[in-house]
């Protein structure tokens, strides 16, 4: 243990003669420094004080006390100089008090009072700032005393006389070792608001114990150790043998002994080959396992490449389909032909109008908004008028095209496969009549000169004389007679309206059949337009209870929507049901209007999972794969989500319970909306007629029985 530091002026005068055998046993962690009862080797003159080390306590506050060891001959000025160096303050700023009285600097320590244990206690204070003429007040910081200088504390241990060898009480000054290690700075950060520093933790473990062996270290463990020796006799089992006589030997084996029996003799080569047999077996097994693993890796890699290739091909097909759909929509918007194409244009105009209204509401107020809305209304009217003009032209051309196709089909001979796969054609008089009248009908629609037209009219009047059984024969004959008179006696006349009526009646004449003149198709009155029409002119829906509205009136109630999208969704559902061999599914009796109602009213026009609102990507797959498709057994998902959904075996393990409950509520709503379809399904299943539904491509039904 290192001795305390003293000034050079008095360290030379300290001479101690302490017998190490007289040192009492101290607690662990304390080291005796100087014995207060030790005598000086050479005494001074009579009247001088004996030189010894004493413990000095400095009371800084009520709770803070530090202790040091000084020779009793030191003056208080030298004590101030030493303690000021440890607190890093000026000596002149320190004041030592005892019993609230300041002490003189020239006074030695032995002239001050001490307690029964020989400890001198002083009150350590600092002068006030006004007394020293400075603004900043110094401070006695214990962190500087302990952490920076790492000074030890000293205590005085009083040993009674009965515990000493000579019977005299002793006071021993003990230095308390500060074994704390210096923790290095690893890393940390400073809080800008509070100014506190946060450092990373470091191990609290001190240095290895072997580093302390070179130093004089006294502790309770080393001072109280007493060696003890004890002889132990433990049992040990061992096999023994002894001679019974000169020939026989008695052998007693132990429990763990074993007997070696000689085997078959083998040469060194055989022994070496037998020892290497295990190595060869292990080599074969190791190579076999490596080959099996290599083969497994190749199979799995091939499967992985196949899956990746299929996924890439699927993505390419999907992107190609999207591009084709976009190109097809562009072509449809540029050259519309059918009602669905014009509905797509009307829907585009509606979306454009709603977007413009949102823009106007966000940027304009008051009269400016009214003017912008009027401009928007004029633009919308112009767009709608342009689409309507195009629709009428297309409707007229398509109507003429359908008429030509119908006449061509009516004039075609009857064909069938006869004996030995021979194709037989039978040209009836009715088909010949249709072909003949069709040629005349084509001539009537051509723009001809006055003389050629007059000759054609006379020829048609002769033909009409053979068709007197036609119900509108008098009107048709009168129309041609009026045109003949106008051509003969009038120099200029507008006969376009007259010729349009002639073409309409002549077309009805071609379709007229004598055998069907007494037959009348079933018909009924529309409750909206109050017109009597045939059943074929009425709209049939799966959610209706009876036939009451014709097609024209029904489609007037609907807003312009993209019917082609809903038709494609319905085709996808029907295609999937055909692949699954489910011809009794409800998908084959559903219509595009029903699909539109399911998506818009039940699923609110978006995917149940990703909330995607792009109608071109939405599909209606089965919710439970084992059950047939139905409005109450489907879910609205995107095309990618549909492929992933069909890969799920157990729905409850994948989907959240809240999501499953939401889908169940949607299915209950669908069952209530399509309750008529459910009742019809029960009737078809009970009567055994359900198998016929979906087999015919046209999916016709007899409306007379409805």
């Amino acid at each position: 243990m290192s001795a305390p530091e003293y000034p050079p002026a008095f360290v030379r005068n300290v001479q101690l003669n302490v017998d190490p055998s007289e040192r009492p046993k101290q607690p662990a962690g304390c080291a005796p420094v100087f014995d207060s009862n030790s005598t000086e080797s050479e005494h001074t003159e009579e009247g001088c004080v004996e030189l010894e080390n004493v413990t000095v306590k400095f009371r800084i506050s009520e709770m803070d006390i530090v202790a040091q060891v000084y020779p009793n001959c030191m003056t208080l000025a030298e004590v101030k100089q030493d303690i000021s160096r440890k607190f890093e303050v000026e000596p002149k700023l320190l004041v030592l008090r005892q019993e609230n009285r300041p002490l003189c600097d020239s006074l030695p320590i032995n002239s001050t009072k001490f307690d029964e244990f020989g400890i001198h206690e002083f009150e350590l204070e600092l002068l006030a700032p006004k007394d020293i003429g400075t603004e900043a007040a110094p401070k006695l910081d214990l962190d500087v005393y302990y952490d920076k200088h790492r000074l030890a504390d000293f205590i005085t241990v009083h040993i009674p006389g009965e515990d000493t060898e000579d019977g005299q009480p002793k006071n021993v000054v003990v230095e308390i070792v500060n074994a704390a290690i210096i923790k290095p700075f690893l890393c940390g950060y400073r809080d800008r608001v509070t100014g506190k520093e946060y450092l990373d933790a470091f191990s609290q473990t001190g240095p290895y114990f072997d580093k302390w062996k070179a130093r004089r270290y006294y502790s309770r463990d080393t001072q109280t150790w007493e060696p003890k020796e004890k002889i132990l006799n433990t049992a040990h089992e061992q096999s023994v043998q002894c001679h019974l006589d000169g020939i026989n030997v008695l052998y007693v084996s132990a429990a763990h002994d074993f007997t070696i029996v000689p085997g078959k003799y083998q040469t060194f080569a055989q022994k070496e080959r037998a020892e290497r047999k295990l190595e060869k077996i292990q080599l074969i097994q190791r190579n076999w396992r490596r080959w099996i693993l290599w083969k497994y890796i190749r199979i799995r890699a091939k499967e992985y490449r196949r899956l990746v290739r299929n996924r890439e091909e699927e993505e390419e097909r999907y992107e190609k389909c999207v591009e084709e759909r976009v190109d097809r929509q562009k072509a449809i918007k540029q050259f519309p032909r059918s009602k669905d194409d014009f509905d797509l244009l009307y829907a585009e105009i509606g979306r454009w109008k709603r977007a413009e209204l949102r823009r106007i509401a966000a940027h304009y107020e008051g009269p400016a908004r009214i003017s912008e809305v009027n401009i928007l209304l004029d633009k919308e009217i112009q767009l709608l008028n342009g689409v309507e003009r195009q629709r009428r032209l297309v409707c007229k051309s398509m109507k003429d095209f359908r008429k030509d196709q119908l006449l061509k089909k009516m004039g075609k001979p009857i064909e069938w496969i006869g004996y030995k796969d021979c194709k037989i054609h039978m040209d009836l008089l009715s088909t010949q009549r249709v072909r003949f009248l069709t040629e005349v009908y084509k001539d009537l629609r051509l723009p001809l000169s006055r003389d050629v037209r007059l000759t054609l009219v006379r020829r048609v009047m002769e033909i009409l004389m053979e068709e007197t059984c036609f119900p509108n024969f008098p009107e048709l004959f009168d129309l041609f007679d009026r045109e003949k008179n106008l051509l003969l006696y009038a120099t200029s006349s507008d006969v376009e309206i007259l010729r349009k009526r002639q073409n309409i009646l002549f077309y009805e004449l071609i379709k007229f059949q004598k055998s069907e003149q007494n037959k009348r198709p079933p018909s009924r009155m529309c409750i909206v337009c109050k017109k009597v029409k045939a059943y074929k002119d009425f709209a049939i829906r799966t959610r209706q209870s009876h036939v009451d509205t014709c097609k024209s009136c029904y489609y007037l109630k609907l807003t312009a929507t993209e019917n082609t999208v809903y038709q494609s969704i319905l085709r996808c559902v029907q295609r999937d049901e055909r692949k699954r061999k489910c011809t009794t599914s409800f998908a084959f009796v559903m219509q595009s209007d029903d699909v539109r109602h399911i998506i818009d009213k039940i699923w609110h026009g978006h995917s149940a999972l990703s909330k995607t609102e792009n109608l071109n990507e939405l599909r209606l797959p089965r919710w439970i794969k084992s059950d047939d498709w139905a409005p109450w057994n489907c879910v609205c998902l995107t095309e990618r989500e549909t492929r992933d959904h069909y890969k799920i075996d157990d729905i409850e393990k994948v989907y959240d319970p809240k999501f499953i409950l939401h889908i169940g509520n949607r299915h209950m709503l669908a069952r209530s909306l399509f309750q008529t379809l459910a009742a019809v399904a029960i009737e078809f299943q009970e009567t055994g007629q359900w198998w016929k539904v979906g087999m015919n491509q046209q999916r016709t039904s007899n409306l007379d029985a409805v």
Side-chain angles (χ1 to χ4, degrees), residues 138-314:
K139 181 181 178 182
L140 297 176
D141 194 356
L142 292 178
D143 295 337
V144 177
Y145 183 85
Y146 286 109
D147 297 341
K148 187 173 182 180
H149 298 284
R150 304 183 62 82
L151 299 176
D153 284 339
F154 299 89
I155 61 174
T156 301
V157 180
H158 178 73
I159 303 175
E162 58 268 14
D163 294 336
T164 61
E165 294 181 357
D166 55 359
Q168 299 295 329
K170 295 182 180 181
N171 293 329
V172 180
V173 180
V174 180
E175 180 184 2
I176 301 176
V177 178
N178 186 4
I181 63 175
I182 299 177
K183 294 185 287 186
F185 176 77
L186 298 179
C187 186
Y189 65 95
R190 184 192 300 274
D191 194 343
R192 294 183 177 179
V193 179
T194 61
K196 293 183 179 180
E197 290 185 358
Y198 297 90
L199 303 180
D200 293 341
F202 183 74
S203 173
Q204 300 295 327
T205 305
Y208 293 107
F209 187 75
D210 55 359
K211 295 183 180 180
W212 297 77
K213 291 181 179 180
R215 306 174 64 179
R216 296 180 61 189
Y217 181 81
Y218 299 97
S219 65
R220 181 180 296 273
D221 298 336
T222 59
Q223 294 177 8
T224 59
W225 181 77
E226 296 180 0
K228 294 182 180 180
E229 295 183 359
K230 185 177 181 181
I231 300 176
L232 300 177
N233 187 13
T234 57
H236 177 65
E237 294 184 359
Q238 185 176 1
S239 59
V240 297
Q241 63 181 3
C242 60
H243 294 275
L244 295 180
D245 49 20
I247 300 176
N248 299 323
V249 177
L250 176 62
Y251 175 80
V252 180
S253 63
H256 57 273
D257 289 347
F258 57 91
T259 305
I260 300 177
V261 179
K264 184 179 179 181
Y265 174 77
Q266 57 181 0
T267 62
F268 177 77
Q270 294 175 349
K271 180 182 178 182
E272 187 179 8
R273 185 167 56 252
E275 290 177 352
R276 296 185 58 188
K277 182 178 181 181
L278 180 61
E279 298 179 2
K280 295 179 179 179
I281 292 174
Q282 293 177 352
L283 178 62
I284 294 173
Q285 291 179 351
R286 183 168 60 253
N287 286 278
W288 170 256
R289 287 192 295 268
R290 184 178 62 181
W291 183 82
I292 290 295
L293 179 60
W294 176 76
K295 182 179 179 181
Y296 177 79
I297 292 174
R298 287 193 60 185
I299 294 174
R300 296 284 77 84
K302 183 179 180 180
E303 183 70 17
Y304 172 76
R305 288 192 294 269
R306 186 185 64 83
L307 293 176
V308 171
R309 184 171 59 256
N310 293 343
R311 190 70 176 183
E312 292 176 354
E313 292 177 356
E314 187 176 355

Side-chain angles (χ1 to χ4, degrees), residues 83-144:
I83 201 68
S84 63
R85 181 172 55 84
K86 296 176 180 178
F87 277 105
E88 295 183 355
V89 295
E90 294 294 333
K92 62 182 180 179
L93 303 180
L94 297 177
V95 178
L96 293 177
R97 295 177 181 272
Q98 193 174 36
E99 295 181 356
N100 295 327
R101 291 186 299 106
L103 301 178
C104 181
D105 293 344
S106 61
L107 189 67
I109 296 177
N110 53 19
S111 299
T112 60
K113 293 183 180 181
F114 55 89
D115 57 7
E116 56 181 350
F117 301 107
I119 300 175
H120 299 263
E121 184 173 354
F122 303 119
E123 296 176 2
L124 182 60
E125 298 178 357
L126 289 171
L127 294 177
K130 61 182 180 179
D131 298 337
I132 60 178
T134 59
E135 296 180 358
K139 181 181 178 182
L140 297 176
D141 194 356
L142 292 178
D143 295 337
V144 177

Side-chain angles (χ1 to χ4, degrees), residues 537-602:
D537 296 330
F538 283 81
I540 303 175
R541 304 178 303 280
T542 56
R543 289 175 286 111
Q544 67 183 9
S545 58
H546 55 280
V547 180
D548 54 1
T549 307
C550 63
K551 294 180 180 180
S552 302
C553 299
Y554 175 72
Y555 288 115
L556 286 176
K557 296 188 298 183
L558 299 177
T559 58
T561 56
E562 301 177 11
N563 292 325
T564 54
V565 177
Y566 301 110
Q567 291 175 1
S568 64
I569 295 174
L570 179 60
R571 286 195 298 269
C572 291
V573 175
Q574 294 174 352
R575 188 187 309 115
D576 183 69
E577 293 300 308
R578 289 192 187 96
K579 290 180 180 179
R580 298 177 183 273
K581 309 297 182 181
C582 296
T583 57
T584 60
S585 175
F586 286 106
F588 298 105
V589 296
M590 301 293 289
Q591 299 176 357
S592 59
D593 178 56
D594 301 324
V595 176
R596 180 189 62 81
H597 188 81
I598 291 174
I599 293 179
D600 294 345
K601 302 300 180 181
I602 298 178

Side-chain angles (χ1 to χ4, degrees), residues 382-445:
Q382 293 177 3
L383 292 175
L384 293 177
N385 289 337
V387 174
E388 184 63 22
R389 285 194 299 270
Q390 183 69 16
R391 189 187 68 82
R392 289 181 180 179
L393 293 175
V394 172
C395 182
K396 183 178 180 302
S397 60
M398 292 301 295
K399 188 176 181 180
D400 296 339
F401 175 76
R402 292 191 187 98
K403 287 182 179 180
D404 296 339
Q405 292 295 324
L406 178 60
L407 296 178
K408 182 178 179 180
K409 187 174 182 180
M410 291 177 62
K412 187 178 180 180
I414 301 175
E415 299 178 357
W416 71 89
I417 305 299
Y419 181 68
K420 293 184 178 181
D421 296 335
C422 180
K423 183 179 290 188
I424 301 175
H425 298 266
M426 184 174 64
D427 197 359
L428 302 177
L429 293 176
S430 59
T431 57
Q432 297 178 16
R433 170 181 170 273
V434 169
R435 288 199 300 271
F436 174 72
L437 294 178
T438 301
E439 296 296 331
V440 177
Y441 176 69
K442 291 180 180 180
D443 295 337
L444 289 175
R445 291 188 299 175

